Amino acid sequence: MCGIVGYKGKNEACDLLIDALRRLEYRGYDSAGIAIWHKGKIEIGRKKGKVNELGKDVCNKEIFQGSMGLAHTRWATHGTPSEKNAHPHKAGDVVVVHNGIVENYMDLKERLRQDGHKFLSDTDTEVIPHLIMSHINKGMGFVDAVRAALAELKGSYAIGAIREKERIMVAAKKESPLIVGIGLGEYFIASDVPAILNRTNKVIFLEDNDIAVFKDGQLILMNIDGESVDRKVHEIHWSGAMAEKGGYKHFMLKEIFEQPRAISETLIGRIKEEKGQIEFDELKLPDLNTITKIWMVACGTSYHACMIGKQMIEANLRIPVETDVASEFRYRDPIIDKNHILILVSQSGETADTIAAMKEGKKNGAYTLCICNVLGSTLARDCDGVIFTHAGPEIGVASTKAFTTQISIFYLLMLHMGRKLGIMSGDEVRDFIGEIKRIPHKIQAILEQSSAMEELARRYMGYKDFLYLGRGINYPTVLEGALKLKEISYIHAEAYAAGEMKHGPIALIDENLPIVIVSPRDHTYKKTCSNVEEVITRRGKTLLFTDDMDHEMASKVEAIFAVPETIYELEPILAIVPLQLLAYYIANLLGTDVDQPRNLAKSVTVE
Ligand code: F6R
């Protein structure tokens, strides 16, 4: 994963780079490093740990003054997190930061070693500056040497490279994201837009095999063969403030509280109430009457959204839908054909397995549609169709507002397709629209009860294991609730379809096991109430999330939380909010690093 940034302009680079790097920490945070060029010399600083550790160490030192530089925040793939493995890496006078994986690094390293190159780290990246240097040693200019080195790499890369002898910065990408930011008399490179939003909103999304050369105040774009290429400059409508905490203790809490706005913005412009229709700009789906199957493929939280999308579409449109996690889908030779639609869901649009799943779909002739939050991301660019969630930048590693906006898109898509197929009338669609328009207010009402969730968190934070139970459309809700608890509090949490409890997990139940149950009044309600009874009989601690506070169950459970009533399709979008809050408050009380939990990174750009 990793985040890279680079700067070339007239201002001091060090503070700018550290600031930008902090905004990329969601991509990795086990070590960080910086390189600053000044008058023909490059100073390098590297530290194990977070960007803050590095920041404290470098920018106040005179040697780190200069107006061109590179920086990197790492999520280790090859080589443990340590100072020697942190980027930038240097060979001769060439310095490189890299995001991606050089798959043939062992062969390259061996060859370079035989030619006398000495390696100091265990990383794959270190071969890149050595390769560049080997070409410079043969008489090539810097830019040509970078091109020649990249041509020898197998795998993925987004790189920034500088050298001591010239005031030139070079950037390039293949299968890892990289953008160029164009400021006033200054240029940036970054793995993602939020890193530089406070300096500029004009960006170029580099494409695979693009090389950007920053020289003499100019930007030159070429491909790996050295031929000039033209790329559009996009104006980004996200503001710098959207990528700040805005007074909240953590990004995750801010993002949970942003959900009413994020959902409203995802709906805006798409609902045509007078026509009883949903419209998506520029989306041209194939003729739906020819479609025999829909696939929904994603990872993690986005996969849970797919499980909800499946239930909505199958129940209302009667089109068969198969869901799969992208890491399985890509290797199981799925039976796909041209009459299938493959929906890829991804907040970042950069998840390696989801991108591979898209390629598998394309290879087999399916129409690929992505539901994505990031403009210019690989999936958004390469799928046949794209629907954006307008959640705004999601910085907290644990996904929250991306999930509820993805559910909103599935709901709109169901209505859009229902009308196109002639299955739903304008009046029916208007009824469905009426309910989703009420969702932001209902979530607001839940958020206003957040202190009750904090109280609940205080009562249950000491337990070591949790079981989550839900049925039907709320099975994915509890999977997502358990995932939130695991990833930020490090408490073991397991989610089960409530009906499966008797087939195994019931053996775990005793007075030391809190059981979170999501059970609104739908057609599965009575069945889940029986499961609650079974849990109580076995002294399990029951925490019930329901829209039925008057049921006799309310007096039997240990804790109960009211979730506003809604229609079946939208139950998860409400029920997940208190579960996000519960996980957040438990983690906060336990004092974990909520926004950057250990071992995780936000964009999983490697397999
Ligand atoms: C969980 C979480 C991850 C992501 C997963 C997919 O809170 O954030 O499980 O959902 O890595 O990421 P995207 O949606 O960017 O493809």
Side-chain angles (χ1 to χ4, degrees):
M1 272 79 81
C2 308
I4 69 173
V5 281
Y7 175 79
K8 185 165 186 286
K10 297 190 181 88
N11 294 302
E12 281 300 324
C14 195
D15 283 328
L16 283 176
L17 288 170
I18 293 288
D19 182 53
L21 209 55
R22 275 198 193 103
R23 295 162 206 269
L24 285 181
E25 260 192 315
Y26 68 86
R27 302 178 66 86
Y29 33 80
D30 58 42
S31 51
I34 191 164
I36 302 288
W37 185 95
H38 186 56
K39 291 190 181 157
K41 211 173 155 353
I42 294 174
E43 207 58 53
I44 293 179
R46 301 187 295 186
K47 269 262 174 229
K48 182 165 183 248
K50 297 205 165 183
V51 173
N52 260 345
E53 297 306 309
L54 177 74
K56 278 187 237 156
D57 228 40
V58 288
C59 296
N60 52 352
K61 293 190 181 148
E62 212 168 308
I63 47 170
F64 283 99
Q65 282 174 12
S67 54
M68 179 170 85
L70 301 169
H72 185 275
T73 179
R74 181 164 186 253
W75 186 86
T77 55
H78 296 68
T80 51
S82 65
E83 194 166 315
K84 81 166 180 186
N85 289 330
H87 302 212
H89 292 286
K90 191 176 182 201
D93 76 335
V94 172
V95 170
V96 168
V97 289
H98 168 227
N99 166 214
I101 292 183
V102 181
E103 287 167 4
N104 56 338
Y105 83 101
M106 291 219 247
D107 296 344
L108 293 169
K109 209 167 179 174
E110 194 41 48
R111 197 189 80 202
L112 287 158
R113 262 201 193 114
Q114 283 169 13
D115 292 346
H117 289 258
K118 295 218 166 18
F119 290 86
L120 304 173
S121 78
D122 308 319
T123 65
D124 53 334
T125 299
E126 204 185 352
V127 298
I128 304 176
H130 281 275
L131 270 180
I132 298 173
M133 209 51 222
S134 71
H135 290 294
I136 289 176
N137 289 340
K138 283 184 217 142
M140 272 190 195
F142 183 33
V143 179
D144 287 344
V146 172
R147 286 200 297 111
L150 295 179
E152 292 179 84
L153 302 184
K154 292 207 175 81
S156 56
Y157 58 77
I159 63 153
I162 53 177
R163 72 177 299 216
E164 290 183 332
K165 289 205 174 70
E166 297 170 77
R167 198 173 181 276
I168 297 177
M169 179 167 78
V170 184
K173 80 145 247 152
K174 189 183 142 229
E175 291 172 23
S176 291
L178 194 64
I179 61 147
V180 170
I182 304 169
L184 280 176
E186 58 187 8
Y187 289 102
F188 299 84
I189 58 166
S191 299
D192 201 355
V193 174
I196 55 162
L197 268 180
N198 61 338
R199 302 291 300 190
T200 180
N201 65 346
K202 291 197 175 49
V203 306
I204 293 172
F205 298 104
L206 292 182
E207 295 187 9
D208 280 353
N209 298 316
D210 280 357
I211 297 180
V213 178
F214 305 86
K215 188 181 175 188
D216 302 331
Q218 284 193 331
L219 165 63
I220 304 153
L221 292 174
M222 63 180 77
N223 62 20
I224 197 154
D225 299 321
E227 297 155 349
S228 142
V229 293
D230 212 13
R231 298 284 173 247
K232 190 172 162 201
V233 178
H234 293 261
E235 205 151 309
I236 303 294
H237 299 295
W238 291 356
S239 69
M242 285 168 94
E244 306 284 350
K245 284 191 200 146
Y248 287 90
K249 183 170 177 193
H250 293 105
F251 278 112
M252 183 181 176
L253 189 61
K254 177 189 172 221
E255 287 158 8
I256 292 173
F257 274 79
E258 273 177 348
Q259 290 179 108
R261 182 201 54 76
I263 293 170
S264 299
E265 285 182 13
T266 299
L267 303 181
I268 277 173
R270 285 151 172 179
I271 293 179
K272 309 290 167 200
E273 212 156 356
E274 31 349 304
K275 294 198 233 166
Q277 256 173 21
I278 302 298
E279 289 172 7
F280 297 107
D281 283 350
E282 293 168 22
L283 179 67
K284 287 192 183 58
L285 288 178
D287 177 1
L288 294 179
N289 291 302
T290 66
I291 296 303
T292 53
K293 180 167 180 175
I294 297 176
W295 294 84
M296 297 177 181
V297 176
C299 300
T301 291
S302 298
Y303 174 66
H304 297 152
C306 290
M307 293 174 77
I308 293 165
K310 170 188 163 82
Q311 299 216 27
M312 287 184 193
I313 287 184
E314 279 195 336
N316 288 286
L317 308 184
R318 308 308 295 162
I319 302 176
V321 178
E322 187 167 342
T323 58
D324 206 350
V325 286
S327 52
E328 289 296 316
F329 178 86
R330 63 182 291 190
Y331 290 118
R332 76 172 164 99
D333 198 9
I335 304 167
I336 315 173
D337 67 40
K338 61 178 176 27
N339 295 322
H340 293 182
I341 293 180
L342 170 61
I343 302 181
L344 290 317
V345 182
S346 176
Q347 187 284 129
S348 61
E350 298 295 350
T351 301
D353 286 324
T354 314
I355 293 171
M358 171 198 68
K359 290 182 181 160
E360 183 68 26
K362 285 199 155 189
K363 192 177 82 193
N364 289 286
Y367 176 88
T368 53
L369 168 64
C370 88
I371 297 176
C372 181
N373 194 39
V374 179
L375 187 82
S377 60
T378 304
L379 279 174
R381 280 204 316 263
D382 293 352
C383 281
D384 300 314
V386 51
I387 306 177
F388 286 106
T389 47
H390 295 305
E394 191 180 65
I395 312 279
V397 164
S399 192
T400 51
K401 61 179 179 171
F403 181 64
T404 46
T405 52
Q406 287 162 356
I407 299 174
S408 307
I409 292 293
F410 270 124
Y411 188 82
L412 295 186
L413 187 63
M414 165 190 85
L415 302 181
H416 176 75
M417 292 171 74
R419 277 293 264 158
K420 278 201 151 209
L421 283 164
I423 295 175
M424 288 179 177
S425 69
D427 281 345
E428 264 175 288
V429 168
R430 263 188 289 277
D431 284 348
F432 275 112
I433 288 173
E435 189 52 27
I436 192 144
K437 282 172 72 181
R438 287 187 276 275
I439 290 297
H441 297 287
K442 292 184 180 184
I443 293 184
Q444 194 57 45
I446 297 172
L447 294 172
E448 279 158 22
Q449 305 295 313
S450 63
S451 55
M453 291 316 299
E454 191 167 8
E455 201 36 54
L456 212 57
R458 217 177 286 281
R459 271 169 72 188
Y460 291 95
M461 62 187 266
Y463 288 88
K464 298 285 169 259
D465 299 282
F466 278 68
L467 183 63
Y468 282 63
L469 299 176
R471 270 176 196 262
I473 205 155
N474 283 307
Y475 173 44
T477 312
V478 293
L479 284 170
E480 176 59 12
L483 178 64
K484 291 291 87 101
L485 186 65
K486 279 186 268 219
E487 63 186 336
I488 60 169
S489 73
Y490 317 143
I491 294 173
H492 170 245
E494 199 167 339
Y496 251 81
E500 276 289 291
M501 185 182 67
K502 285 205 223 30
H503 302 281
I506 197 161
L508 296 170
I509 297 174
D510 64 15
E511 65 281 11
N512 295 317
L513 187 70
I515 298 155
V516 174
I517 302 152
V518 173
S519 186
R521 268 172 298 175
D522 57 35
H523 62 281
T524 67
Y525 184 48
K526 283 210 176 102
K527 300 284 173 203
T528 314
C529 286
S530 311
N531 299 135
V532 178
E533 293 279 4
E534 290 155 7
V535 169
I536 293 170
T537 313
R538 286 159 184 84
R539 293 175 295 131
K541 307 206 161 299
T542 38
L543 287 70
L544 181 63
F545 294 79
T546 182
D547 55 3
D548 186 7
M549 302 298 276
D550 300 328
H551 194 279
E552 54 174 314
M553 200 66 66
S555 57
K556 295 187 183 171
V557 293
E558 234 190 61
I560 186 161
F561 187 87
V563 181
E565 205 181 325
T566 185
I567 58 173
Y568 186 65
E569 287 78 358
L570 291 172
E571 283 172 7
I573 207 172
L574 295 182
I576 192 59
V577 179
L579 301 192
Q580 293 168 341
L581 286 168
L582 180 66
Y584 170 78
Y585 286 121
I586 289 181
N588 185 42
L589 288 164
L590 291 174
T592 62
D593 193 341
V594 171
D595 281 335
Q596 292 165 359
R598 68 185 180 203
N599 305 336
L600 290 172
K602 186 135 188 84
S603 300
V604 185
T605 55
V606 293
E607 274 189 60

